[in-house]
Amino acid sequence: MELQTFRNTVAGQEVESASGRWLASANPFTGQDWSRIPRCDSEDVERAVMAAHSAFVSGDWPRMTATARGKLLRRLADLIERDAAKLAALEVRDNGKLHAEMLGQVKYLPEYYHYFGGLADKVEGSVLPSDKPDMFTYTKHEPLGVVVCITPWNSPLLLLTWKLAAALAAGNTVVIKPSEFTSASTLAFAGLFREAGFPDGVVNTVTGYGHEIGDALVQHPKVAKIAFTGGDATGARVYAGAAKSLKHVALELGGKSPNIIFEDAVLDDAVKGAISGIFAASGQTCIAGSRLLVQRSVYDEVTSRVVAFASTARMGDPMQPDTQVGPITTTAQREKVLDYIRIARDEGARCVLGGKVPEDPSLAEGWFVEPTIFADVSNDMRIAREEVFGPVLSIIPFEDEADAIRIANDTIYGLAAGVWTQDMRRAITMADALQAGTVWVNTYRAVSFLAPFGGYKQSGIGRENGQEAIHEFMQTKCVWLSLSRGVPNPFVLR
Ligand code: TXE
């Protein structure tokens, strides 16, 4: 089969890698390569960063008003809406996630560009009160410069948008480095910026292996900020690399999120919440509710209901509307998931569903793992402490609120948490006590352009979405004007 070719966008032009090398990308459902992307090296990084740098310091972009930037973002939103079906299909082919999920995500993207487009000209400085009567002092908020957005394979355009919409609204220019496994949708998307009317060089892309070009990007002297979503080991490496030149860093890393069911919950809803927390997207989401904490009095009932529900989940072709569980995105990730299943068994967790590759011959070419549930998990087992990033649920019993809080917070992570209860006092007490950037009550896996998202503890640094996100891509300048003639004693601080 001839591979579909995707190229990078640099300074408004479609470009191949300087070396002329390519990288094939596979379809996780068929196991076959279907496309190729440029395999870049440090020369390509230099070209992309310098294009972004020139666009930041000269040309139309730095002269454009925030209102004009906002209009461009809104025009981009319309183009995404037009191309949503095409972009979503590219994502499914690359990452194997359900078409229904990817189409929903891509159709939702315009909201982010409308929101941040609207916000662009509402970032106000202030005139400060002064304790020095002969001074007039004001603040203004300015962009940082070149922002590098590094994105993972699970939701390529959504997680990019969480960075890009705010970064552009703030007036920065950008270099995007998508995951080597799922670059196609990002490269197709980058082609829309010219059509929307963005000046060349404002948005650039560079593709290839993280270990080949990551350090060059992260340590480039002309880069002001790295906005990263990915695994914790890579996140720590990015943080250390950026520290060498004290760059701004935002990290959105993994989680081991507790989804907590109390005995007074509406159990039908809670069971569905448990399923959506871990088996949607085959568990490949940073907010996966991979630890299901269930109050002892309803533990057996909830466990058997979750198992019964999950056992009916249909695995299959992610493009088909009746498929509920798709393949794992990469073979390496599937091996990692299967390793954790072995580890859980060795640690004494009781496998009550799945635990292997499906036997159905129609799934044999795809990288599937059965929805898997372990019961009687204790929170000190590795299966409860480390991020699996796959369809593997650990069910952990607890006694009361205090016990639930202790277990939920006993983790290095703090990205999200779910609470299922009908008691409002309990809901608010739990929301206060849980160390997580997002707490859902009687729901799970809800996100919005309006709602700040990010991690406590080792789940990350910084917030995406909501009004505060634009400030993550800006710096404050304070301007002092003297209203008096004459300079007092020049040897004394004023
Ligand atoms: O992610 P990486 P991987 C977790 C999940 C998974 C694990 C590893 O547990 O099993 O991470 O996945 C780029 N400098 N998550 O290896 O390496 C890379 O090219 C700069 C959680 O695929 O973190 C890609 O673009 N960049 C997560 C991006 O980093 C580098 C989503 C993420 O890849 C680099 C995905 C380097 N040295 C995986 N090395 C979430 N939080 O949602 C790689 N990259």
Side-chain angles (χ1 to χ4, degrees):
M1 187 177 77
E2 197 184 328
L3 301 183
Q4 203 172 321
T5 296
F6 293 86
R7 295 182 177 78
N8 279 304
T9 292
V10 174
Q13 304 301 313
E14 273 202 11
V15 295
E16 298 176 3
S17 66
S19 67
R21 291 198 297 171
W22 298 91
L23 196 59
S25 186
N27 177 335
F29 178 61
T30 62
Q32 302 296 313
D33 290 343
W34 72 278
S35 67
R36 59 177 196 159
I37 56 168
R39 179 170 170 180
C40 295
D41 58 26
S42 52
E43 199 179 331
D44 303 293
V45 168
E46 184 64 21
R47 197 164 55 168
V49 173
M50 290 317 291
H53 175 68
S54 333
F56 184 72
V57 296
S58 58
D60 291 339
W61 185 248
R63 287 200 295 267
M64 209 173 265
T65 61
T67 308
R69 286 202 301 272
K71 278 187 188 153
L72 290 184
L73 284 165
R74 292 197 291 277
R75 214 175 292 155
L76 178 73
D78 294 340
L79 298 180
I80 297 171
E81 206 167 314
R82 184 194 68 192
D83 288 359
K86 186 179 108 189
L87 293 169
L90 293 176
E91 301 223 308
V92 179
R93 222 166 292 157
D94 253 351
N95 73 6
K97 284 171 70 174
L98 300 189
H99 183 253
E101 164 121 335
M102 300 327 285
L103 186 62
Q105 284 187 9
V106 177
K107 281 188 164 170
Y108 193 45
L109 299 183
E111 300 291 352
Y112 291 84
Y113 294 97
H114 281 297
Y115 175 82
F116 282 102
L119 195 55
D121 61 4
K122 288 159 198 73
V123 179
E124 297 176 346
S126 45
V127 174
L128 304 179
S130 184
D131 64 331
K132 304 177 203 316
D134 61 340
M135 290 286 191
F136 178 75
T137 319
Y138 66 93
T139 60
K140 60 196 292 260
H141 302 284
E142 298 184 339
L144 298 171
V146 176
V147 173
V148 167
C149 300
I150 302 178
T151 54
W153 36 262
N154 48 333
S155 293
L157 289 180
L158 182 73
L159 298 175
L160 170 62
T161 292
W162 288 9
K163 300 159 183 46
L164 191 61
L168 293 175
N172 300 281
T173 58
V174 172
V175 176
I176 303 164
K177 153 73 183 87
S179 166
E180 51 270 40
F181 303 111
T182 57
S183 293
S185 62
T186 300
L187 299 189
F189 169 63
L192 298 180
F193 284 85
R194 202 164 210 211
E195 192 180 346
F198 281 79
D200 291 345
V202 172
V203 173
N204 309 276
T205 61
V206 56
T207 47
Y209 290 114
H211 65 266
E212 288 185 352
I213 56 173
D215 287 350
L217 267 173
V218 167
Q219 294 175 31
H220 197 290
K222 292 283 191 250
V223 170
K225 172 158 183 156
I226 318 292
F228 172 88
T229 299
D232 5 350
T234 309
R237 190 186 169 108
V238 165
Y239 201 21
K244 291 184 184 162
S245 50
L246 298 173
K247 296 186 195 327
H248 296 247
V249 176
L251 301 173
E252 201 268 90
L253 309 175
K256 199 72 203 175
S257 298
N259 201 0
I260 307 168
I261 301 181
F262 283 96
E263 60 191 2
D264 69 310
V266 177
L267 292 189
D268 277 348
D269 292 349
V271 165
K272 284 189 197 143
I275 298 286
S276 88
I278 189 66
F279 297 122
S282 300
Q284 301 172 102
T285 110
C286 50
I287 50 181
S290 51
R291 288 187 298 152
L292 186 67
L293 274 52
V294 183
Q295 194 156 18
R296 181 87 63 189
S297 50
V298 289
Y299 185 84
D300 289 341
E301 184 184 351
V302 169
T303 300
S304 62
R305 285 169 73 167
V306 172
V307 169
F309 202 121
S311 64
T312 65
R314 266 185 309 277
M315 286 178 277
D317 180 348
M319 287 302 285
Q320 294 306 317
D322 60 346
T323 298
Q324 293 168 317
V325 176
I328 303 294
T329 301
T330 72
T331 44
Q333 186 62 26
R334 178 162 80 161
E335 283 315 305
K336 180 177 163 182
V337 173
L338 293 171
D339 271 350
Y340 271 110
I341 290 173
R342 275 189 285 274
I343 290 166
R345 283 206 171 98
D346 292 348
E347 286 180 309
R350 186 163 56 93
C351 186
V352 288
L353 184 72
K356 55 180 178 26
V357 166
E359 280 150 19
D360 179 348
S362 72
L363 304 176
E365 309 301 320
W367 302 328
F368 286 87
V369 175
E370 289 178 344
T372 297
I373 300 178
F374 285 99
D376 304 338
V377 173
S378 104
N379 202 51
D380 54 8
M381 293 178 179
R382 283 182 66 193
I383 195 70
R385 303 202 79 75
E386 297 172 21
E387 185 180 51
V388 177
F389 221 66
V392 181
L393 180 66
S394 297
I395 312 188
I396 304 172
F398 69 86
E399 305 301 334
D400 53 20
E401 278 176 27
D403 199 31
I405 292 166
R406 181 187 61 74
I407 297 170
N409 288 341
D410 177 20
T411 168
I412 58 167
Y413 296 112
L415 194 59
V419 179
W420 299 85
T421 177
Q422 296 187 73
D423 177 344
M424 195 162 51
R425 180 208 58 79
R426 172 173 274 167
I428 292 173
T429 306
M430 292 300 293
D432 284 349
L434 289 166
Q435 296 162 350
T438 294
V439 178
W440 291 294
V441 178
N442 296 332
T443 184
Y444 205 88
R445 257 183 127 231
V447 295
S448 165
F449 50 94
L450 297 161
F453 179 87
Y456 277 33
K457 302 195 279 188
Q458 292 185 36
S459 283
I461 297 171
R463 290 293 175 273
E464 298 181 319
N465 306 325
Q467 289 195 35
E468 67 188 276
I470 198 164
H471 287 284
E472 302 255 347
F473 293 97
M474 303 191 98
Q475 49 199 340
T476 304
K477 179 175 279 176
C478 187
V479 182
W480 293 76
L481 286 92
S482 171
L483 303 176
S484 66
R485 287 257 159 71
V487 176
N489 185 347
F491 299 102
V492 175
L493 181 73
R494 283 224 59 199

